[in-house]
Amino acid sequence: MTTSNLPGRKPVRPPEDRLPPGQRLTDGWPVLTYGSTPRIDLATWEFRIFGLVEEEVRLDWDEFNALPQSEDTSDIHCVTTWSRYDNHWRGVRFTDVMALAKVLPEAKEVMFHSYGGYTTNVPLDELLHEGVLLAHTHDGQPIDRDHGGPLRGVVPQLYFWKSAKWVRGIEFLPEVRPGFWEMYGYHIHGDPWKEQRYSYQ
Ligand SMILES: Nc1nc2c(c(=O)[nH]1)N[C@H]1C(S)=C(S)[C@@H](COP(=O)(O)O)O[C@H]1N2
Ligand SMILES: [Mo]
């Protein structure tokens, strides 16, 4: 779109501003998984909200899908330097999931837990943005198993390792606790615009 100079419109970001430093654009969608892809049966699938909550919440697949549905289009930025624009996600907003539990005021951080054992930590305030979803659909199709189906986190403003595939729970924590890659040297926060790739930075 080249409507940036029409009166009353915000200038459109020049395309070079859309790509964070050190990234290059790809059309494909690489699969990046540590370990094997878990087999998940929707009949026994369960999502858990736990940690600093008044009462733990557990949802089965039908209950999860009965939650209010939202959509968002966002860019993926992987720490291995590929970016992919305009991913259309559909799922449930993090804030709508969080609203199911009475989260205690001491909660400052969240750990995403995945089938297969992967974890990743994100500060709670980063998860309150509209574009943060627990997504089941990508570009109109159920998310492939390899890409985290039936349900994955999408935290588009952070590097993509913060978007947990096969997510099975969220744990509210009083302080930061490193997830899987964060323990192995990835940056604790992971903002692509600040190039927070590794913890020695
Ligand atoms: N459960 C789980 N989630 C994960 C990973 C993983 O190995 N296991 N890899 C992370 C990393 S490093 C990236 S870059 C993205 C890759 O997602 P994709 O395979 O759909 O491209 O998922 C993230 N979420
Ligand atoms: Mo990654």
Side-chain angles (χ1 to χ4, degrees), residues 27-162:
D27 285 331
W29 187 6
V31 170
L32 282 137
T33 302
Y34 183 86
S36 53
T37 297
R39 287 213 164 268
I40 297 167
D41 180 359
L42 292 183
T44 55
W45 183 92
E46 190 176 57
F47 188 89
R48 213 175 138 213
I49 309 171
F50 63 109
L52 289 176
V53 292
E54 253 173 46
E55 234 179 295
E56 192 176 309
V57 175
R58 286 167 186 262
L59 300 167
D60 67 21
W61 183 247
D62 290 339
E63 290 167 333
F64 193 90
N65 282 280
L67 298 175
Q69 303 290 305
S70 298
E71 309 192 6
D72 190 68
T73 299
S74 57
D75 299 341
I76 293 173
H77 306 298
C78 175
V79 72
T80 61
T81 74
W82 59 269
S83 290
R84 187 179 190 279
Y85 287 166
D86 292 325
N87 299 274
H88 185 75
W89 301 101
R90 187 172 160 79
V92 182
R93 271 197 193 127
F94 182 89
T95 48
D96 288 332
V97 175
M98 181 176 164
L100 300 173
K102 289 204 178 70
V103 176
L104 301 176
E106 302 90 276
K108 298 285 182 284
E109 295 279 333
V110 173
M111 189 73 85
F112 287 84
H113 292 265
S114 296
Y115 282 98
Y118 186 86
T119 54
T120 188
N121 63 278
V122 181
L124 178 54
D125 60 3
E126 287 282 10
L127 299 172
L128 308 179
H129 296 280
E130 277 194 355
V132 178
L133 299 179
L134 293 156
H136 48 69
T137 301
H138 176 269
D139 289 352
Q141 301 294 325
I143 297 174
D144 275 4
R145 263 185 81 211
D146 282 345
H147 286 299
L151 191 78
R152 79 174 295 159
V154 178
V155 186
Q157 75 274 28
L158 299 178
Y159 282 123
F160 206 35
W161 88 78
K162 298 287 188 182

